[in-house]
Amino acid sequence: MSNDKNTVEESLLKLKKGNETYLNTSTCPGDVSPAIRKDTCENGQYPYAVVITCSDSRVIPESIFSAGIGELFVIRVAGNVISDHQLGSIEYAVDHLGSNLVVVLGHTNCGAVGAAIGGHTGGFIKSITDEIKAAIGEETDGYKASCLNVEHAISKIKDNLPMLNGSDSQCAKVIGAIYHINDGHVEFLD
Ligand SMILES: [Zn+2]
């Protein structure tokens, strides 16, 4: 663990390589050793990427990207929707921990997206499905709706966090991706 910062491209490459490793293993190769626990406890955390994803139990960000302790700053909420709490968490990771890549990771077969398409929700769940519905409009295809939901989250992040909206190559970036729960593959969206 060190605080030598990756470039955005290096961070993205690390995620892509981590996903490749995940596809070919049945265990999580991320470093969760006593040594890394001690190091990060004494020297702090410098996660290279922020991952905002769904709470779905089939989606495990650290496993998907073969990451260990101190590598990913993970924000999870059903349907990977963005509200002030998520924005505050992203802002903290980028401004105070030095993360330079923010990934909004939707996934296939998302129950929250499906519920938004179905339109029959109530209680507090409705606050999530209303947000997704605003992103997907009348789209009824689950995969396409998940992509629209990711794009909506990215727009919201860029609109609210100017440090993620710069064109400078040194700036932190926000990108979208879809995790395919059937085969483990992460599809990075342009
Ligand atoms: Zn989901």
Side-chain angles (χ1 to χ4, degrees):
M1 176 66 57
S2 85
N3 60 0
D4 294 337
K5 260 182 89 166
N6 291 325
T7 64
V8 172
E9 289 71 28
E10 284 167 345
S11 296
L12 180 57
L13 191 63
K14 207 166 170 176
L15 290 175
K16 287 180 174 173
K17 283 190 171 167
N19 183 236
E20 264 174 43
T21 302
Y22 168 69
L23 295 176
N24 296 301
T25 184
S26 55
T27 58
C28 181
D31 187 353
V32 292
S33 65
I36 193 77
R37 277 205 298 273
K38 183 171 184 292
D39 185 6
T40 51
C41 177
E42 291 172 358
N43 301 310
Q45 57 165 331
Y46 303 95
Y48 67 89
V50 178
V51 178
I52 303 125
T53 195
C54 185
S55 300
D56 193 304
S57 63
R58 297 165 294 183
V59 181
I60 307 173
E62 285 83 354
S63 297
I64 290 168
F65 295 115
S66 305
I69 291 171
E71 295 196 275
L72 299 179
F73 192 89
V74 177
I75 301 162
R76 300 190 69 165
V77 58
N80 38 269
V81 292
I82 302 295
S83 69
D84 286 1
H85 295 142
Q86 284 73 43
L87 290 169
S89 300
I90 297 165
E91 189 174 27
Y92 174 72
V94 173
D95 269 359
H96 297 272
L97 303 178
S99 304
N100 62 5
L101 181 63
V102 177
V103 183
V104 180
L105 182 67
H107 69 99
T108 55
N109 301 64
C110 181
V113 170
I117 291 171
H120 304 294
T121 60
F124 290 105
I125 297 170
K126 193 167 183 301
S127 70
I128 294 171
T129 52
D130 281 354
E131 177 70 14
I132 297 172
K133 187 67 186 165
I136 68 175
E138 299 306 312
E139 181 58 61
T140 55
D141 178 83
Y143 169 77
K144 287 180 187 167
S146 286
C147 291
L148 289 171
N149 189 42
V150 166
E151 286 169 21
H152 178 74
I154 291 172
S155 297
K156 213 160 168 180
I157 292 166
K158 284 184 173 177
D159 287 348
N160 286 282
L161 300 174
M163 77 274 213
L164 286 162
N165 206 6
S167 52
D168 188 334
S169 63
Q170 302 300 312
C171 283
K173 292 261 183 318
V174 54
I175 60 171
I178 296 286
Y179 175 66
H180 291 261
I181 67 163
N182 62 326
D183 64 7
H185 168 240
V186 173
E187 175 191 359
F188 286 92
L189 308 172
D190 291 326

